Structure formats: structure tokens, C-alpha cells
């Protein structure tokens, strides 16, 4: 990964972790001291309370991602025969549709930043492609190490977080603030999330199967080596 990409990745990761920390730690701690009435709020109201605030940094984060998605989408269309993939097109369009409401309307910044957690898996996914085009065998140690890392990270940041994400969504659903969001914004939020996560589950299944096959093949090869050596002896 080149230095600029590392910088962008670091900024994205730092931004996400910062806002998670602000939401879960700083906001409740400050709210209890500044406004005693905070403790009397329901769980739904506290979730909404902690998720509010100035989304300027979140918008910058989302703006960087939006620029990348548009650029990548144009490249996919232009070089369709080489890198065209309908699932990536659906993924990018769903994300851009939702990000329009974040950047244009200032809606749902917390949930938009939460979705960017998925990009933790991108370096491993890209590295897999680099190994493939460089001719590394699937059973090579670098490829296997990256494959296992990709499967683990992809599961952690795209699958394991789903219960947390959708529990937050359910906590906000039906509240007064929920209905203050325009109908289009609600559709973008809910439908885009479901669409993206369906694809994440499909990709996770594919990654897990591939990882299992490679590891199983490698273990069988190692198990067969002593037997072969025994025959030669």
C-alpha cells in the first residue's frame, strides 16, 4: 500500500474510532455531569442523544469515501471488460445513494460513519488480488496468511458488527427523530444497509469457502509428505 493510501486509511480508521469513543464514552460521561436529566431518559432517547452533534468530521470522512466510490465507479464502467463487476456497481450505487443524504442533508452521520468500519477489510482484499496477478500460488505462505487475515477481518468488520448496527437502528426506529428524517433519507438508510449487508454475507460465504479449501489442501499436502518420505526410505 502506497503512503498516500496508508494516510487515507489511517484517517478513516482514526475518525471511526474517535466517533465510537465519543458516542460510547465521552457523550454519556459529559451528559451526566452537564445535564442531570440525562439519566432519566429512556435507552432509545439516550442513543439518540449520544448520536447527535456536529457531523463536520464525519462529513469529511464520508466525502473522501464518496470521491473514491465515484472515481472507482467511472473506472469500472470505462474498463468494464477488464474490471467490470455488477456487484461492485450495486455496492457503490447503494453507498452513494445513502451518502447523498449524509452530505447534502446532514442526516444520520453516526450510522454513515459506522458503515465505513467495513473498509478495514479492503487492504487484505486488495492484497489478495496483488498476489494473484503476481503469480503467487494459493498455497504459498504469504497468500495463505493474507487469506486467513482477510476472512477474519472481513467477518469482524462486516458480519459480526451487524447485530450492533441493527440494534442501534431499531433503537432509533419509530422515535420522533426518525420521522423528522425525510422519507427518501429513511429509504436510503434502511434499504442501502440491507442491500450492502446481503452482499457482505454473500462475499463472506465465498471468502470462507475459499479459505477453507486452501487450508484443507495445504494440510493434506503436509500430511502426505511423511508418507511419501517413508516410501522412499
Amino acid at each position: 500500500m502506497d503512503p498516500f493510501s496508508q494516510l487515507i486509511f489511517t484517517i478513516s480508521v482514526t475518525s471511526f474510532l474517535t466517533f465510537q469513543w465519543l458516542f460510547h464514552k465521552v457523550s454519556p460521561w459529559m451528559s451526566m455531569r452537564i445535564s442531570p436529566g440525562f439519566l432519566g431518559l429512556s435507552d432509545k432517547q439516550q442513543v439518540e442523544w449520544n448520536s447527535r452533534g456536529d457531523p463536520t468530521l464525519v462529513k469529511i470522512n464520508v466525502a473522501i469515501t464518496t470521491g473514491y466510490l465515484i472515481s472507482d465507479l467511472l473506472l469500472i464502467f470505462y474498463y468494464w471488460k477488464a474490471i467490470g463487476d455488477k456487484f461492485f456497481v450495486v455496492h457503490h450505487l447503494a453507498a452513494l445513494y445513502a451518502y447523498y443524504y449524509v452530505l447534502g442533508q446532514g442526516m444520520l452521520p453516526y450510522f454513515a460513519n459506522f458503515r465505513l468500519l467495513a473498509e478495514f477489510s479492503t487492504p487484505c482484499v486488495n492484497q489478495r488480488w496483488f498476489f494473484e496477478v503476481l503469480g503467487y500460488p494459493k498455497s504459498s505462505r504469504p497468500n495463505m496468511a493474507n487469506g486467513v487475515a482477510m476472512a477474519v477481518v472481513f467477518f469482524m468488520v462486516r458480519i459480526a458488527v451487524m447485530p450492533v448496527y441493527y440494534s442501534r437502528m431499531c433503537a432509533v426506529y419509530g422515535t420522533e427523530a426518525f420521522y423528522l428524517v425525510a422519507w427518501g433519507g429513511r429509504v436510503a438508510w434502511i434499504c442501502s444497509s440491507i442491500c450492502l449487508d446481503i452482499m457482505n454475507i454473500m462475499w463472506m460465504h465465498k471468502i470462507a469457502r475459499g479459505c477453507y479449501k486452501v487450508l484443507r489442501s495445504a494440510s493434506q499436502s503436509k500430511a502426505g509428505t511423511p508418507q511419501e518420505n517413508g516410501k522412499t526410505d
Side-chain angles (χ1 to χ4, degrees):
M1 188 184 299
D2 62 85
F4 182 73
S5 297
Q6 291 178 350
L7 175 62
I8 295 300
F9 179 73
T10 302
I11 291 173
S12 299
V13 171
T14 303
S15 175
F16 173 80
L17 294 176
T18 299
F19 279 95
Q20 286 291 303
W21 177 64
L22 289 173
F23 177 86
H24 292 288
K25 301 295 183 182
V26 178
S27 179
W29 183 83
M30 291 185 63
S31 298
M32 286 187 293
R33 286 158 177 76
I34 296 175
S35 178
F38 175 79
L39 294 174
L41 300 177
S42 66
D43 291 339
K44 288 185 177 181
Q45 289 173 325
Q46 288 187 10
V47 168
E48 182 182 344
W49 177 296
N50 292 329
S51 65
R52 289 177 178 269
D54 182 14
T56 302
L57 293 178
V58 177
K59 283 188 175 182
I60 293 174
N61 207 10
V62 172
I64 293 172
T65 306
T66 299
Y68 164 75
L69 290 175
I70 294 174
S71 173
D72 197 47
L73 196 59
L74 292 176
L75 290 174
I76 289 174
F77 285 136
Y78 190 79
Y79 298 104
W80 183 263
K81 291 184 178 180
I83 59 175
D85 190 310
K86 60 183 179 181
F87 287 109
F88 279 122
V89 172
V90 173
H91 172 274
H92 287 12
L93 290 176
L96 288 171
Y97 176 52
Y99 288 161
Y100 162 76
Y101 287 93
V102 179
L103 297 176
Q105 309 290 331
M107 298 176 180
L108 306 167
Y110 168 79
F111 291 97
N113 216 39
F114 196 108
R115 297 301 310 190
L116 292 179
L117 174 66
E119 298 310 315
F120 273 106
S121 64
T122 301
C124 291
V125 175
N126 289 337
Q127 189 61 52
R128 176 181 175 274
W129 183 85
F130 292 140
F131 282 144
E132 183 179 343
V133 296
L134 290 174
Y136 279 70
K138 291 184 177 180
S139 58
S140 64
R141 287 188 177 182
N143 219 336
M144 290 178 61
N146 182 72
V148 172
M150 179 176 67
V152 172
V153 175
F154 196 97
F155 175 79
M156 293 298 296
V157 302
R158 294 180 184 250
I159 306 300
V161 297
M162 286 185 187
V164 178
Y165 180 81
Y166 287 103
S167 67
R168 297 295 183 188
M169 181 183 288
C170 291
V172 175
Y173 186 86
T175 61
E176 181 181 353
F178 176 81
Y179 290 107
L180 289 176
V181 176
W183 182 83
R186 298 199 299 268
V187 171
W189 172 33
I190 297 173
C191 293
S192 295
S193 296
I194 294 174
C195 178
L196 291 171
D197 284 331
I198 288 175
M199 287 189 289
N200 284 332
I201 292 172
M202 293 170 58
W203 284 330
M204 183 73 252
H205 180 256
K206 185 177 180 179
I207 290 171
R209 287 185 60 187
C211 186
Y212 173 75
K213 287 181 180 179
V214 172
L215 291 176
R216 184 180 180 184
S217 176
S219 63
Q220 289 177 345
S221 298
K222 289 182 179 179
T225 302
Q227 293 178 1
E228 294 174 359
N229 291 338
K231 289 179 181 178
T232 56
D233 291 340

